[in-house]
């Protein structure tokens, strides 16, 4: 994989549903994997930064895992709320400023 | 608690016009960056700066110039705008630029630029 790929591109869920997205990234020369949350008309905000294979991070109802050997990360949202509606970006750094952003997964949570 | 502030938020230009986007951060960060975000694509790095008075090219630098005369400000210039430069532009900063490790980026809220 040469690029960072995120799936799905968009996702519609009902309030209370749990959901997850995938970020696939180049597994060679891996340094760090970042997840950002971006609400329309606002600044993207960092959720997690992970560097080690097997890393798991959690922030409230949102958690993420990292597999650097196979080149993927999962983001999980438990009990989605309308305020979780946003675009979730992941970015992989392969050294220095060689950072590749994915196109994002846009989440819509319906009340 | 301003963080990273971008001005303007919206702008419409005609082909060939010039403009400057201003980014200001009040966190005393060393590193600053300009990205563009296009539909269906990830953020792409245009230029970055590792400190006051320095600039460097990113992934897509053509058609843009930057300056970092003061540590807190990073300016992005378009000398002769083209329709291909229609995009959302994000400024970001980081404390020391150790982006390869645990250092996250702090983003501005973006500038929507349309070039007709």
């Amino acid at each position: 994989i040469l690029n960072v790929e995120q799936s799905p591109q968009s996702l519609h869920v009902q309030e209370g549903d749990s959901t997850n997205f995938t970020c696939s990234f180049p597994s060679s020369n891996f340094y760090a994997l970042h997840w950002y949350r971006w609400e329309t008309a606002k600044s993207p905000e960092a959720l997690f930064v992970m560097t080690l294979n097997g890393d798991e991070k959690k922030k409230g109802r949102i958690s993420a895992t990292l597999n650097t050997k196979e080149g993927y990360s999962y983001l999980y949202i438990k009990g989605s709320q309308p305020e979780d509606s946003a675009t979730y970006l992941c970015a992989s750094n392969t050294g220095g400023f060689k950072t590749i952003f994915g196109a994002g997964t846009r989440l819509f949570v319906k009340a | 608690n301003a963080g990273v502030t971008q001005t303007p938020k919206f702008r419409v230009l005609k082909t060939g016009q010039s403009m400057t986007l201003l980014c200001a951060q009040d966190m005393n960060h060393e590193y600053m960056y300009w990205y563009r975000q296009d539909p269906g694509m990830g953020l792409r790095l245009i230029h970055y700066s590792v400190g006051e008075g320095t600039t460097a090219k990113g992934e897509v630098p053509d058609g843009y110039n930057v300056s970092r005369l003061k540590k807190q400000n990073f300016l992005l210039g378009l000398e002769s705008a083209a329709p291909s430069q229609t995009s959302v532009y994000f400024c970001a900063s980081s404390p020391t630029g150790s982006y390869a490790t645990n250092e996250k980026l702090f983003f501005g809220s973006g500038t929507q630029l349309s070039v007709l």
Side-chain angles (χ1 to χ4, degrees):
Chain A
I1 299 175
L2 298 178
N3 294 317
V4 173
E5 298 175 359
Q6 293 187 245
S7 62
Q9 289 185 356
S10 65
L11 190 57
H12 293 252
V13 301
Q14 291 290 127
E15 181 177 358
D17 287 350
S18 294
T19 187
N20 64 85
F21 336 127
T22 303
C23 174
S24 300
F25 57 88
S27 55
S28 59
N29 298 322
F30 172 83
Y31 278 80
L33 191 286
H34 295 232
W35 281 100
Y36 291 87
R37 180 175 180 273
W38 176 30
E39 289 185 68
T40 303
K42 294 185 178 180
S43 309
E45 292 184 357
L47 287 171
F48 306 113
V49 178
M50 296 180 287
T51 58
L52 298 176
N53 184 47
D55 262 354
E56 293 187 20
K57 297 277 178 117
K58 187 175 182 181
K59 187 176 183 180
R61 294 179 291 98
I62 304 176
S63 60
T65 61
L66 179 67
N67 183 322
T68 61
K69 293 183 179 180
E70 297 182 39
Y72 65 84
S73 175
Y74 293 137
L75 188 80
Y76 301 91
I77 301 179
K78 184 177 179 181
S80 301
Q81 299 297 309
E83 57 265 30
D84 295 328
S85 296
T87 297
Y88 293 83
L89 303 171
C90 75
S92 174
N93 185 278
T94 57
F97 291 95
K98 297 176 184 176
T99 301
I100 309 169
F101 276 85
T105 292
R106 190 159 186 189
L107 175 66
F108 300 89
V109 182
K110 186 175 181 181
Chain B
N1 200 11
V4 179
T5 304
Q6 289 181 233
T7 54
K9 293 190 183 299
F10 303 95
R11 186 72 184 269
V12 178
L13 292 178
K14 294 182 179 179
T15 297
Q17 286 185 316
S18 63
M19 78 161 294
T20 300
L21 281 66
L22 172 64
C23 177
Q25 52 95 4
D26 61 2
M27 297 172 285
N28 201 35
H29 286 175
E30 289 294 332
Y31 282 52
M32 297 186 74
Y33 317 80
W34 276 106
Y35 288 90
R36 61 178 288 173
Q37 200 273 327
D38 300 296
M41 301 181 71
L43 291 166
R44 292 183 291 168
L45 184 63
I46 304 171
H47 285 279
Y48 63 96
S49 168
V50 303
E52 181 178 315
T54 73
T55 62
K57 294 180 179 180
E59 181 185 354
V60 287
D62 294 343
Y64 305 94
N65 56 76
V66 289
S67 64
R68 183 105 180 263
L69 298 179
K70 293 182 179 181
K71 185 177 182 178
Q72 64 268 33
N73 296 337
F74 194 29
L75 278 65
L76 178 71
L78 286 73
E79 289 187 348
S80 180
S84 61
Q85 294 177 304
T86 294
S87 187
V88 179
Y89 292 85
F90 284 98
C91 176
S93 69
S94 62
T96 62
S98 300
Y99 190 43
T101 56
N102 289 325
E103 200 166 276
K104 62 185 179 182
L105 290 176
F106 293 79
F107 283 93
S109 58
T111 297
Q112 174 69 61
L113 176 66
S114 295
V115 183
L116 306 178

